[in-house]
Short mmCIF file of all heavy atoms in Angstrom, two decimals:
data_model
loop_
_atom_site.label_atom_id
_atom_site.label_comp_id
_atom_site.label_asym_id
_atom_site.label_seq_id
_atom_site.Cartn_x
_atom_site.Cartn_y
_atom_site.Cartn_z
N PRO F 44 2.64 -9.20 -24.67
CA PRO F 44 1.21 -9.45 -24.75
C PRO F 44 0.42 -8.38 -23.96
O PRO F 44 0.84 -7.96 -22.88
CB PRO F 44 1.02 -10.83 -24.13
CG PRO F 44 2.31 -11.17 -23.47
CD PRO F 44 3.36 -10.26 -24.00
N TYR F 46 -3.34 -7.41 -22.34
CA TYR F 46 -4.64 -7.94 -21.93
C TYR F 46 -5.75 -7.16 -22.61
O TYR F 46 -5.78 -5.93 -22.58
CB TYR F 46 -4.77 -7.84 -20.40
CG TYR F 46 -6.08 -8.36 -19.88
CD1 TYR F 46 -6.32 -9.73 -19.84
CD2 TYR F 46 -7.07 -7.50 -19.43
CE1 TYR F 46 -7.52 -10.22 -19.36
CE2 TYR F 46 -8.26 -7.99 -18.95
CZ TYR F 46 -8.49 -9.35 -18.92
OH TYR F 46 -9.67 -9.84 -18.44
N ARG F 57 -7.28 -8.40 -7.44
CA ARG F 57 -5.97 -9.04 -7.60
C ARG F 57 -4.89 -7.99 -7.83
O ARG F 57 -3.80 -8.05 -7.25
CB ARG F 57 -5.99 -10.01 -8.76
CG ARG F 57 -4.67 -10.74 -8.93
CD ARG F 57 -4.81 -11.89 -9.91
NE ARG F 57 -3.61 -12.71 -9.89
CZ ARG F 57 -2.62 -12.61 -10.76
NH1 ARG F 57 -2.67 -11.72 -11.72
NH2 ARG F 57 -1.57 -13.40 -10.67
N PHE F 64 -1.36 -3.53 -0.61
CA PHE F 64 -1.61 -4.41 0.53
C PHE F 64 -3.07 -4.83 0.60
O PHE F 64 -3.61 -5.10 1.66
CB PHE F 64 -1.18 -3.72 1.82
CG PHE F 64 0.30 -3.43 1.82
CD1 PHE F 64 0.77 -2.20 1.41
CD2 PHE F 64 1.21 -4.39 2.20
CE1 PHE F 64 2.13 -1.92 1.38
CE2 PHE F 64 2.58 -4.14 2.17
CZ PHE F 64 3.03 -2.90 1.76
N VAL F 83 -4.39 1.24 -13.68
CA VAL F 83 -2.93 1.21 -13.66
C VAL F 83 -2.37 2.63 -13.46
O VAL F 83 -1.45 2.84 -12.66
CB VAL F 83 -2.37 0.56 -14.94
CG1 VAL F 83 -0.87 0.75 -15.05
CG2 VAL F 83 -2.74 -0.92 -14.98
N ASP F 101 -3.95 2.45 20.82
CA ASP F 101 -3.58 1.20 21.46
C ASP F 101 -4.80 0.61 22.17
O ASP F 101 -5.92 1.15 22.07
CB ASP F 101 -2.39 1.39 22.40
CG ASP F 101 -2.69 2.28 23.59
OD1 ASP F 101 -3.87 2.59 23.86
OD2 ASP F 101 -1.72 2.68 24.28
N HIS F 117 5.53 -1.19 16.26
CA HIS F 117 4.97 -2.34 15.55
C HIS F 117 3.54 -2.08 15.10
O HIS F 117 3.04 -2.75 14.21
CB HIS F 117 5.00 -3.60 16.42
CG HIS F 117 6.39 -4.03 16.75
ND1 HIS F 117 7.19 -4.68 15.85
CD2 HIS F 117 7.13 -3.88 17.86
CE1 HIS F 117 8.37 -4.91 16.40
NE2 HIS F 117 8.35 -4.44 17.62
N THR F 136 8.61 0.33 -1.73
CA THR F 136 9.53 0.73 -0.66
C THR F 136 9.86 -0.48 0.21
O THR F 136 11.03 -0.72 0.55
CB THR F 136 8.92 1.85 0.19
OG1 THR F 136 8.67 2.97 -0.65
CG2 THR F 136 9.84 2.25 1.32
N TRP F 142 16.22 -5.25 -0.04
CA TRP F 142 17.44 -5.32 -0.82
C TRP F 142 18.50 -4.35 -0.34
O TRP F 142 19.69 -4.64 -0.37
CB TRP F 142 17.15 -5.03 -2.29
CG TRP F 142 16.50 -6.15 -3.00
CD1 TRP F 142 15.21 -6.60 -2.82
CD2 TRP F 142 17.06 -6.97 -4.00
NE1 TRP F 142 14.96 -7.64 -3.66
CE2 TRP F 142 16.09 -7.90 -4.40
CE3 TRP F 142 18.31 -7.01 -4.61
CZ2 TRP F 142 16.31 -8.85 -5.37
CZ3 TRP F 142 18.53 -7.96 -5.59
CH2 TRP F 142 17.53 -8.87 -5.95
N ASN F 147 23.17 2.91 10.50
CA ASN F 147 24.16 3.94 10.82
C ASN F 147 25.19 3.40 11.82
O ASN F 147 25.94 4.15 12.39
CB ASN F 147 23.47 5.20 11.35
CG ASN F 147 22.70 4.96 12.62
OD1 ASN F 147 22.64 3.83 13.11
ND2 ASN F 147 22.05 5.98 13.13
#
Side-chain angles (χ1 to χ4, degrees):
Y46 180 74
R57 182 169 190 262
F64 298 94
V83 170
D101 66 12
H117 296 283
T136 300
W142 284 70
N147 62 358

